[in-house]
């Protein structure tokens, strides 16, 4: 298949999954995930990623251990209730790895100033979704998860197998 054919195939797949993508993004936006209170959205995403067939590892950072790292920078509060997630799509071996990274925390909404409605409503107006995190970074996270689903959709990818990484 030539590049134009492959591009058309990808765009068609994106169009076909549009409603599901919007629904998942709206679900994410509706979960308040202000910095320090990310547990609920991380558990939700753990379920989403696991449901896609990815190998998911979720854990809470050991703040005392983290403080011992030479690159540690002091923070005002710890990391309790703020789990991290790593989801892996194992390759067949021989190829390069691709790391997709994101975050789910958002800044506080304040007293509601600047919002016409509830910032967790994920309302749709004029073809746009409104709510905290739609531009940073929940929509990008949704696009990343779509890519993972696309890559895992029955085809084998060449990337390194998990046992081929140096840090394992």
């Amino acid at each position: 298949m030539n590049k134009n054919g492959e591009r058309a195939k990808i765009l068609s797949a994106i169009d076909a999954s549009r409603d599901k993508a919007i629904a998942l993004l709206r679900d994410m936006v509706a979960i308040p995930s202000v910095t320090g209170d990310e547990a609920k959205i991380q558990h939700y995403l753990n379920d989403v990623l696991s449901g896609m067939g990815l190998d998911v590892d979720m854990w809470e950072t050991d703040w005392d251990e983290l403080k011992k790292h030479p690159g540690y920078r002091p923070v005002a509060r710890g990391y309790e209730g703020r789990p991290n997630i790593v989801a892996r799509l194992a390759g067949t071996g021989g190829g390069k790895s691709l790391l997709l990274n994101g975050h789910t925390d958002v800044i506080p909404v304040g007293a509601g100033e600047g919002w016409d409605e509830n910032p967790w409503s994920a309302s749709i107006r004029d073809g746009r979704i409104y709510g905290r995190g739609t531009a940073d970074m929940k929509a990008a996270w949704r696009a990343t998860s779509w890519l993972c689903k696309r890559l895992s959709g029955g085809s084998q990818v060449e990337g390194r197998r998990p046992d081929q990484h140096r840090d394992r």
Side-chain angles (χ1 to χ4, degrees):
M1 182 179 297
N2 65 28
K3 285 186 180 183
N4 286 337
E6 185 63 26
R7 184 175 193 275
K9 184 178 173 184
I10 291 169
L11 291 174
S12 177
I14 290 170
D15 289 342
S17 64
R18 182 179 189 275
D19 290 343
K20 286 183 181 179
I22 289 170
L24 191 135
L25 175 57
R26 292 184 77 199
D27 286 348
M28 290 177 64
V29 171
I31 299 171
S33 56
V34 174
T35 303
D37 189 24
E38 298 101 318
K40 185 175 180 180
I41 195 165
Q42 295 296 75
H43 285 281
Y44 173 80
L45 295 176
N46 180 43
D47 293 344
V48 168
L49 294 166
S50 295
M52 290 170 38
L54 300 179
D55 177 26
V56 180
D57 185 16
M58 186 166 79
W59 74 97
E60 292 211 16
T61 301
D62 183 331
W63 193 18
D64 291 329
E65 282 300 310
L66 187 61
K67 289 176 185 178
K68 297 175 187 175
H69 190 279
Y72 174 75
R73 298 291 179 257
V75 295
R77 65 175 186 232
Y79 297 93
E80 297 82 17
R82 302 180 67 192
N84 291 289
I85 297 176
V86 170
R88 292 179 194 89
L89 171 61
T92 59
K96 294 185 177 186
S97 294
L98 173 64
L99 172 67
L100 304 170
N101 186 8
H103 65 89
T104 57
D105 65 319
V106 298
I107 60 172
V109 297
E113 61 276 353
W115 290 95
D116 294 334
E117 56 192 88
N118 182 339
W120 312 113
S121 68
S123 63
I124 299 176
R125 278 186 278 132
D126 301 322
R128 296 179 183 209
I129 301 174
Y130 291 87
R132 177 61 84 205
T134 53
D136 178 26
M137 123 139 236
K138 293 178 180 181
W141 188 96
R142 179 56 187 122
T144 299
S145 68
W146 181 90
L147 176 62
C148 290
K149 185 171 179 76
R150 174 93 174 133
L151 289 173
S152 68
S155 63
Q156 293 292 315
V157 291
E158 285 187 3
R160 292 183 187 153
R161 296 184 317 262
D163 62 337
Q164 293 176 317
H165 289 277
R166 282 178 263 156
D167 62 347
R168 294 195 149 256

